[in-house]
Amino acid sequence: LLVVGAIAAVVGALLFVERDFEVEASANLVPLVDRDVFASTDGTVAAVRVEHGDLVKQGDVLAVLDDPQLVLDLQHVRGEIDTTRKRLEAIAVARTDRQVREDIESESLSLSAEAEQLRQRLESLERQAEILLDRQAALTVQSPISGMVLTLDVQHLLETRPVARGQVLFTVADPNAGWQLLAAVPQDSIGHVVRAREGQDSVPVRIRLAGDIDQIYSGQLASIKETAVLEVDALAEEMPAVEVEISLDDRLPDAARPGMNADVRIYCG
């Protein structure tokens, strides 16, 4: 009777005593403000001026690219500009000499037509030079914001490597702009998180940072990604997790760094 009574008490507690239900997930700490830095032109990385974790200011040089063909094109256009200007100067001197000697008018008209053609060519060459100079300036890759370089092993990754226009070279983040967490919620638990968010203004989250196990931070569920990335090479493995963004209510310690691991518990009722 005592055993049966104990079992009945336990069953009754399970049925009628409420307990918080939380979904656990692993997460990574990321800054709220970050920027990818792209290559503005094709080229080869001649020098990398920063390393992972370096603090940079807006406008600091991150890398310098090299494009030998661009150098040749610019030299060619500049040579054409010099040649055209010298010919214009020579025509101006010749026309002055003819006016002094009162030569026939047809020769003067011929020189005027040639001078007009040269002036138009000079304008075209100068526009080409401006375009090439803009491309040359784009070979210097600068940081768009002040912050920390997040790209890992940038020296080995980029040094002497060819890059294409639009390719991401660096990621720079501003740790002073605030933090958020990106949690990977297993697919067999994401349904609880979705239901918890329905009709709720906020869903509380408890957070414990790696290496800071004695401190619990609070946050809120910010968003749930609508899709999960399924890698083709991992079709036989377990289904990929769904990414969830978590905003922070508390100020994190100064030791917080991008990519720091954390464990989160999302309140689901």
Side-chain angles (χ1 to χ4, degrees):
L1 290 175
L2 289 174
V3 172
V4 171
I7 294 175
V10 170
V11 173
L14 291 174
L15 291 174
F16 300 108
V17 177
E18 291 187 348
R19 180 179 180 274
D20 289 343
F21 171 51
E22 296 175 317
V23 168
E24 299 182 16
S26 59
N28 288 317
L29 190 65
V30 296
L32 283 171
V33 176
D34 61 19
R35 295 289 186 274
D36 288 332
V37 184
F38 302 89
S40 300
T41 185
D42 298 341
T44 302
V45 179
V48 179
R49 302 287 178 80
V50 295
E51 295 181 355
H52 169 71
D54 282 355
L55 296 176
V56 297
K57 294 181 180 179
Q58 183 177 4
D60 282 356
V61 177
L62 305 179
V64 178
L65 308 183
D66 182 33
D67 186 353
Q69 185 60 48
L70 176 60
V71 175
L72 293 176
D73 292 344
L74 190 55
Q75 290 176 347
H76 175 73
V77 170
R78 283 173 171 169
E80 291 288 326
I81 289 174
D82 290 341
T83 301
T84 304
R85 284 175 175 169
K86 288 178 181 179
R87 179 55 185 162
L88 278 171
E89 292 172 359
I91 290 176
V93 172
R95 290 178 62 186
T96 302
D97 291 344
R98 280 174 169 77
Q99 289 174 359
V100 171
R101 291 185 285 108
E102 297 181 354
D103 285 348
I104 58 176
E105 185 178 355
S106 61
E107 294 183 5
S108 178
L109 291 174
S110 176
L111 291 176
S112 297
E114 183 182 356
E116 181 61 29
Q117 291 177 351
L118 289 172
R119 279 192 288 268
Q120 293 178 3
R121 175 170 174 74
L122 183 60
E123 290 180 2
S124 175
L125 289 169
E126 288 176 341
R127 286 195 295 269
Q128 292 179 45
E130 291 178 0
I131 294 172
L132 291 173
L133 287 172
D134 288 341
R135 288 179 55 192
Q136 187 180 55
L139 293 174
T140 301
V141 182
Q142 297 176 310
S143 177
I145 61 172
S146 298
M148 178 185 294
V149 179
L150 299 188
T151 309
L152 297 172
D153 197 14
V154 288
Q155 298 284 341
H156 179 266
L157 184 66
L158 295 176
E159 193 79 59
T160 70
R161 300 294 179 88
V163 296
R165 181 180 180 182
Q167 180 178 340
V168 177
L169 304 181
F170 301 91
T171 299
V172 180
D174 182 6
N176 298 320
W179 301 92
Q180 67 175 349
L181 284 162
L182 297 182
V185 178
Q187 287 205 28
D188 58 3
S189 299
I190 193 63
H192 300 299
V193 178
V194 172
R195 283 191 293 272
R197 198 181 185 209
E198 293 176 351
Q200 301 292 328
D201 295 332
S202 63
V203 176
V205 180
R206 294 193 298 154
I207 302 157
R208 178 183 283 117
L209 295 177
D212 192 11
I213 60 176
D214 295 330
Q215 180 67 40
I216 301 296
Y217 301 93
S218 63
Q220 303 290 330
L221 179 64
S223 67
I224 304 172
K225 291 293 181 67
E226 295 182 356
T227 57
V229 179
L230 181 62
E231 299 292 345
V232 176
D233 297 335
L235 294 177
E237 301 177 5
E238 62 180 291
M239 297 298 291
V242 178
E243 189 175 84
V244 171
E245 294 182 355
I246 298 170
S247 61
L248 293 161
D249 297 334
D250 300 326
R251 177 180 174 82
L252 296 183
D254 295 336
R257 289 292 183 271
M260 183 177 287
N261 295 327
D263 293 322
V264 300
R265 295 187 176 187
I266 305 170
Y267 179 76
C268 293

